[in-house]
Amino acid sequence: MESVPLAARLVEVIADRGEVTAERYRYGSGCIVSGRTVLTAAHVVAGAQSVRVRDPHKRLYSATVDPRVVGDEDGPGPDLALVEIDDPGYMEGLPPIGLAAIDRDSPTAEPVERCHAIGYPWFAETPSPTA
């Protein structure tokens, strides 16, 4: 399969938490990291009764949360989760993208090159302590 642009990997994750919750739906961004596997935020899918994924063409697909990879939505751990698009033909053969962690507390000021942030990470809302 030829190279897939990053924009084609971006999806919307929609979690339905049920009729009895005050905030029934949670919406978040996601990125297809390989095949049908989507990386999203744990706080989006935590407690969901069902999850759907909307692709860039606005098509909806059912998805399943991988319970082995749901991070810490409220604590010090990463707020990450993996969901799998249920349609076996969706983006079949999509090669994996590289993932990495960035140490924001590093004492060195080494630049991070060729890095993409997907969604709207919390730290982008926080003013820089040096600004």
Side-chain angles (χ1 to χ4, degrees):
M1 182 177 229
E2 62 187 60
S3 176
V4 177
L6 184 60
R9 292 177 181 263
L10 300 179
V11 295
E12 178 181 23
V13 178
I14 305 163
D16 183 346
R17 301 175 66 215
E19 293 180 10
V20 297
T21 60
E23 181 187 10
R24 179 172 181 175
Y25 295 99
R26 284 196 176 164
Y27 300 87
S29 56
C31 178
I32 301 171
V33 292
S34 180
R36 298 177 290 129
T37 304
V38 176
L39 176 67
T40 190
H43 73 265
V44 172
V45 298
Q49 292 182 358
S50 66
V51 175
R52 295 186 298 166
V53 171
R54 187 187 330 258
D55 73 7
H57 302 290
K58 305 297 183 200
R59 294 179 297 229
L60 280 171
Y61 298 91
S62 65
T64 303
V65 176
D66 184 340
R68 300 168 300 163
V69 189
V70 176
D72 191 355
E73 65 176 300
D74 291 319
D79 181 18
L80 300 174
L82 292 179
V83 300
E84 186 85 8
I85 297 171
D86 295 332
D87 183 346
Y90 185 79
M91 297 296 266
E92 190 170 327
L94 185 65
I97 63 172
L99 300 174
I102 298 171
D103 182 3
R104 290 185 178 77
D105 298 323
S106 172
T108 64
E110 294 187 35
V112 177
E113 297 178 359
R114 297 176 45 134
C115 179
H116 302 277
I118 296 175
Y120 198 77
W122 170 83
F123 71 86
E125 298 176 353
T126 306
S128 170
T130 60

